[in-house]
Amino acid sequence: MGKLGGEMKVLAKHCGGSHKTVNDRIQIVQRFDHHLRALNVQIQRVTQIKVRHIESYIHERLTQGIGERTLQNEMASLRAVLQQAGRKQVAEHERLSNKSLGLSGASRNGTRQPITPEHYRHVLENARIKDQGLAAVLELARLMGLRSQEAVQSAQSLKTWKQAVERGDTHLTVVFGTKGGRPRETVILDTDAVKKALNKALAVAESRNNRLINKSDLKTAMDYWHNQAARIGLTGVYSPHSLRYAWAQDAISHYLAQGFSRKEALAMVAINLGHGDGRGRYVAQVYGCA
């Protein structure tokens, strides 16, 4: 990494946000720095960045087939870093608007489908044959609407969740692996199914030094989860996130059955998913619940 990349990395950290947001922003500015160095662009300070440099980067990313939605996020990160460096004039330049860059047509509609009951049974059966810990993670992700990292780290909360279910609680607190490290409350949709899944998961974890995915660190465990999930059939529109999509649709039906309006149900599910009550429309759009 050159001087430019180092300065941009420091600025990216100072922009704030969750741990994941900061890490993603750092990766983006490092990719931008690499792009300029590959073109032999001789600049070493953020104050030397020109509009044409960013245009060139986005053009290259488009030719690589990177999606418009992804590039909107990358531009947001680059703008934040420029703003942090006092380069507001460049950050807000009309040539760097999403429209001018050809990024304004991106949709936030979900690109995945909620997993069907048939496909879920198929992948769960494959997982049980492959690895009981993998199957336990898969089942908890589907029954609780967990993100992949939340599901992989769920072993740390199994005993707490079991106690909550036995007390008759209607919600479970998700602490480990959450986005931004913010705990969230997920509603229990099927108490008996969750209780059975927790008992099975606890049995596996107790035989594996309190782990479901029997790997030495989180990165290795996540790599194993993603690789094996694809092998058992969680790929394409039915990625691991399709488990969360299916849970979101079940949760909306749950709230509607309790007499909530659709707007209220979407807001409740947004909270359960960890998005906040103001993201109901986002949930409807992204999770295909419209």
Side-chain angles (χ1 to χ4, degrees):
M1 187 192 308
K3 290 184 179 179
L4 176 65
E7 184 184 0
M8 294 190 79
K9 181 178 179 180
V10 171
L11 290 166
K13 290 180 179 178
H14 289 166
C15 290
S18 70
H19 181 71
K20 182 180 186 304
T21 297
V22 172
N23 278 343
D24 289 347
R25 190 184 297 128
I26 289 172
Q27 289 181 11
I28 290 164
V29 298
Q30 289 179 335
R31 195 180 298 122
F32 174 70
D33 175 54
H34 178 76
H35 166 77
L36 294 183
R37 286 190 288 116
L39 294 177
N40 199 29
V41 176
Q42 300 294 321
I43 62 174
Q44 298 184 355
R45 300 297 305 276
V46 175
T47 54
Q48 297 173 288
I49 294 175
K50 307 294 184 186
V51 170
R52 68 175 182 272
H53 296 144
I54 297 175
E55 288 177 323
S56 169
Y57 171 75
I58 294 298
H59 176 72
E60 180 186 73
R61 296 286 281 161
L62 283 169
T63 60
Q64 291 171 348
I66 307 302
E68 292 179 2
R69 183 70 197 141
T70 298
L71 293 182
Q72 285 182 359
N73 291 335
E74 293 198 5
M75 275 306 303
S77 291
L78 291 173
R79 289 189 193 102
V81 169
L82 290 167
Q83 293 270 16
Q84 188 70 26
R87 303 296 311 282
K88 182 177 179 180
Q89 189 173 358
V90 174
E92 297 180 356
H93 198 284
E94 61 179 11
R95 279 164 50 192
L96 296 183
S97 69
N98 286 341
K99 184 176 181 180
S100 297
L101 292 169
L103 308 178
S104 59
S107 169
R108 296 194 77 150
N109 290 343
T111 56
R112 302 289 185 264
Q113 295 292 326
I115 194 167
T116 62
E118 296 78 16
H119 194 64
Y120 173 65
R121 285 194 292 270
H122 170 71
V123 296
L124 183 57
E125 185 177 323
N126 288 343
R128 284 171 174 160
I129 294 170
K130 177 72 180 179
D131 178 347
Q132 288 296 318
L134 181 72
V137 170
L138 179 68
E139 216 168 352
L140 291 171
R142 175 62 183 88
L143 290 171
M144 293 175 60
L146 302 178
R147 296 182 179 94
S148 288
Q149 192 164 321
E150 293 171 346
V152 169
Q153 295 196 67
S154 62
Q156 300 173 79
S157 298
L158 294 176
K159 291 179 181 177
T160 304
W161 289 343
K162 182 180 180 182
Q163 290 171 358
V165 172
E166 290 175 345
R167 281 196 307 267
D169 291 359
T170 58
H171 291 73
L172 297 176
T173 304
V174 183
V175 176
F176 299 101
T178 57
K179 194 169 184 178
R182 298 181 296 271
R184 65 184 182 87
E185 301 287 319
T186 184
V187 67
I188 300 173
L189 301 178
D190 186 332
T191 302
D192 289 340
V194 170
K195 187 181 295 185
K196 290 177 183 177
L198 288 173
N199 286 334
K200 284 187 282 188
L202 275 165
V204 174
E206 286 170 1
S207 69
R208 294 183 174 183
N209 196 28
N210 295 319
R211 294 176 184 145
L212 290 178
I213 302 296
N214 199 18
K215 300 296 178 182
S216 59
D217 56 75
L218 179 59
K219 183 182 184 306
T220 307
M222 290 302 298
D223 287 343
Y224 177 84
W225 161 253
H226 286 301
N227 291 335
Q228 296 304 318
R231 290 183 181 181
I232 63 174
L234 286 177
T235 186
V237 295
Y238 293 137
S239 71
H241 214 59
S242 68
L243 301 167
R244 190 162 146 94
Y245 277 46
W247 182 90
Q249 294 203 345
D250 289 348
I252 288 176
S253 298
H254 166 80
Y255 285 119
L256 290 175
Q258 289 187 334
F260 288 96
S261 69
R262 184 162 186 80
K263 185 175 181 180
E264 289 171 329
L266 288 169
M268 297 289 281
V269 173
I271 294 171
N272 294 151
L273 291 168
H275 293 303
D277 61 356
R279 303 297 294 280
R281 186 169 65 87
Y282 169 86
V283 168
Q285 189 175 6
V286 174
Y287 286 80
C289 303

